[in-house]
Amino acid sequence: MKTLKKCFGLGVGRKSGLSFATFAICAIILLAVPLQISCSDSGDDNGDSNPDETRQNIDRQMIPVQDKTYSILKTEVTQELYESVMDENPSGFKGEKNLPVEQVSWYDAVYFCNKLSAKCGLTPVYAVDGEPDVEKWGYAPHKGNITGTVSQNENASGYRLPTMEEWQYAAKGGQDYKYSGSDNLAEVGWYDGKSGSKTHPVAQKAHNGYGLYDMSGNVMEWCWDSNPNYSRRRCNCGGSWSYDASLCVVSNKYWNDANYASRSLGFRIVRSTGK
């Protein structure tokens, strides 16, 4: 406290009484104070950021899909975005904020979508037995199953998972390639043999015709659709860092239990336009 008083109350000079060590501390404090103010004013903390500003920041990263009524996040949901909403990060691969989040189940993904929608002042898309408030679902993320029927409100303004058809249409990017953006997967995606057996920060490879990244490889991505023969199995697309190239083709789809989580599995979000 005495050092602070010297810093803010006294000038720097021969008669100020500041030692070299104290002067150095003052310099550090004076540099740090504006940085702290800048960070707290940015609205990027986990607290009471402005809902409109939060939504605008996310929507700037959403790509309108040509001839369709939805926009889609240009990258997979990152660990930074996930943690800003959920206050936790379940991912197995950590170290960089722009790594895709993984080890999230389908249940975790729809829970996240509703929490993000509420944070942005939008109407949540999903409900469990008619209840859209996740705090009333009785579900602890990353711990088991949602009990009850998950439904979606197609007229809601919030964020959601793409349907399989929406995902595949966006992944094609208005092009006719085997993978999302190329016939050469190494140009656009991380896959087995080329990934170093791990995920990579999003948007490091080339994008597809719509400007979307990593829709082939890196992590598989949950979609809304349920298996016609077993409703608890949900669709995922795109292949991953651990998949052979032949499994990362845009037209491929896979089914896993809604409570399944893996280091190879994440998601991206969409939002219906005009809502």
Side-chain angles (χ1 to χ4, degrees):
M1 184 59 71
K2 290 180 179 179
T3 301
L4 286 172
K5 289 179 179 179
K6 286 183 178 182
C7 288
F8 294 104
L10 295 173
V12 178
R14 185 179 300 274
K15 296 181 180 181
S16 68
L18 289 178
S19 68
F20 177 80
T22 304
F23 177 78
I25 294 172
C26 289
I28 293 171
I29 292 172
L30 291 172
L31 286 172
V33 167
L35 177 62
Q36 290 171 341
I37 293 173
S38 174
C39 289
S40 64
D41 287 348
S42 69
D44 289 337
D45 61 315
N46 292 342
D48 299 322
S49 56
N50 182 285
D52 289 336
E53 182 180 349
T54 302
R55 183 178 73 248
Q56 290 167 7
N57 289 338
I58 294 171
D59 283 352
R60 278 194 286 267
Q61 304 301 314
M62 304 287 284
I63 303 293
V65 178
Q66 186 175 333
D67 300 324
K68 297 294 181 180
T69 58
Y70 65 98
S71 58
I72 185 167
L73 194 65
K74 67 168 64 174
T75 70
E76 295 149 335
V77 170
T78 63
Q79 294 179 22
E80 180 182 40
L81 175 56
Y82 189 87
E83 191 167 357
S84 74
V85 175
M86 302 288 284
D87 296 326
E88 62 178 331
N89 181 4
S91 303
F93 297 107
K94 292 188 175 78
E96 298 184 56
K97 64 183 182 181
N98 285 329
L99 287 170
V101 71
E102 19 88 6
Q103 293 206 143
V104 287
S105 69
W106 185 88
Y107 293 135
D108 298 329
V110 298
Y111 187 103
F112 168 89
C113 287
N114 269 29
K115 282 206 71 170
L116 177 61
S117 296
K119 185 181 179 75
C120 293
L122 299 170
T123 304
V125 171
Y126 301 112
V128 174
D129 292 338
E131 176 54 66
D133 184 353
V134 296
E135 302 301 328
K136 298 178 181 178
W137 286 4
Y139 175 69
H142 321 300
K143 295 180 177 66
N145 303 318
I146 288 178
T147 57
T149 301
V150 181
S151 60
Q152 66 173 348
N153 176 3
E154 295 181 358
N155 295 315
S157 60
Y159 300 99
R160 59 182 177 83
L161 296 177
T163 65
M164 179 184 65
E165 181 180 353
E166 287 173 333
W167 188 96
Q168 292 182 339
Y169 186 93
K172 281 187 170 293
Q175 302 165 314
D176 191 25
Y177 293 124
K178 182 187 298 185
Y179 307 108
S180 182
S182 177
D183 283 330
N184 179 2
L185 182 53
E187 294 179 351
V188 295
W190 302 101
Y191 63 102
D192 187 35
K194 299 291 185 179
S195 66
S197 300
K198 62 181 181 179
T199 60
H200 290 261
V202 298
Q204 299 298 299
K205 296 283 190 174
H207 57 70
N208 75 0
Y210 291 157
L212 303 173
Y213 295 90
D214 297 301
M215 294 199 80
S216 291
N218 215 9
V219 292
M220 301 181 292
E221 300 179 18
W222 285 114
C223 297
W224 162 254
D225 305 62
S226 59
N227 187 294
N229 300 315
Y230 183 39
S231 62
R232 271 190 53 185
R233 284 189 176 272
R234 295 286 175 163
C235 179
N236 55 77
C237 297
S240 78
W241 61 268
S242 64
Y243 276 37
D244 182 79
S246 64
L247 303 177
C248 297
V249 175
V250 167
S251 59
N252 287 359
K253 60 181 180 295
Y254 305 94
W255 305 95
N256 291 100
D257 280 353
N259 64 3
Y260 177 73
S262 143
R263 288 188 175 193
S264 298
L265 184 52
F267 66 105
R268 78 178 67 213
I269 54 176
V270 304
R271 185 176 172 216
S272 298
T273 54
K275 302 296 185 184

